[in-house]
Amino acid sequence: GGETPQVFFSGALHGNERIGPTAVVEFATYVLGKYAKDGFFKRLVDERRMVILPAANAVGFERNQREELGIDVNRDFAYDTSPTSCMRSIAARSIHEIFREHLFTLAVTFHGGDNLVAFPWGDTKHCPGFPGRCNYGTVKAIP
């Protein structure tokens, strides 16, 4: 198919992880600053749709709190959770609606406090023996 690949970038899913919004905005600024000067970045922008949500948990970010009104947004999505225990936060519902409108090839969320790439729960290549979910022992540290 000829559909444009779509990618999602977000920061501050945990409101007290202050680096997220800055990382997302700096990434976008860097890419756009290179657009007219570098064919790689021009192609990167021209050939995909980038959806950017710098402060996903705006309430937690404003209050410098991990949660949004007592809810851990990163644990508020509808995977492996009862229907009454998810989508209670504004941030989770907002991200859910964004994902309903887009079929993302890649989603990146910037967290603070560690240098790692955590593979998604559906990745059985990096999570052998854990079909359907990864555990913390499978994250890959960035040197």
Side-chain angles (χ1 to χ4, degrees):
E3 289 194 30
T4 302
Q6 300 180 65
V7 294
F8 177 74
F9 296 94
S10 72
L13 202 55
H14 291 133
N16 64 344
E17 295 177 357
R18 310 305 285 178
I19 194 68
T22 301
V24 172
V25 171
E26 288 295 321
F27 169 76
T29 301
Y30 181 80
V31 168
L32 293 174
K34 294 280 191 176
Y35 179 83
K37 304 170 196 160
D38 187 318
F40 172 80
F41 289 97
K42 182 174 182 357
R43 192 174 89 249
L44 187 71
V45 171
D46 289 348
E47 295 183 8
R48 60 202 31 84
R49 173 177 290 158
M50 294 185 198
V51 177
I52 298 172
L53 183 62
N57 178 0
V59 173
F61 186 78
E62 190 273 329
R63 296 177 178 185
N64 196 25
Q65 296 175 342
R66 177 183 173 90
E67 298 85 9
E68 175 193 293
L69 304 175
I71 300 168
D72 184 342
V73 176
N74 203 31
R75 309 295 185 275
D76 195 30
F77 295 102
Y79 174 73
D80 202 22
T81 305
S82 74
T84 58
S85 299
C86 64
M87 297 297 159
R88 298 167 296 149
S89 65
I90 297 165
R93 291 192 310 269
S94 299
I95 292 169
H96 176 75
E97 290 303 314
I98 292 170
F99 272 70
R100 286 174 46 118
E101 294 294 321
H102 301 274
L103 181 58
F104 293 112
T105 306
L106 173 70
V108 177
T109 179
F110 289 90
H111 287 265
D114 210 341
N115 295 322
L116 56 86
V117 175
F119 296 97
W121 52 262
D123 181 354
T124 56
K125 178 180 177 185
H126 296 95
C127 303
F130 295 94
R133 65 178 62 108
C134 281
N135 69 7
Y136 287 106
T138 62
V139 294
K140 307 297 181 189
I142 298 172

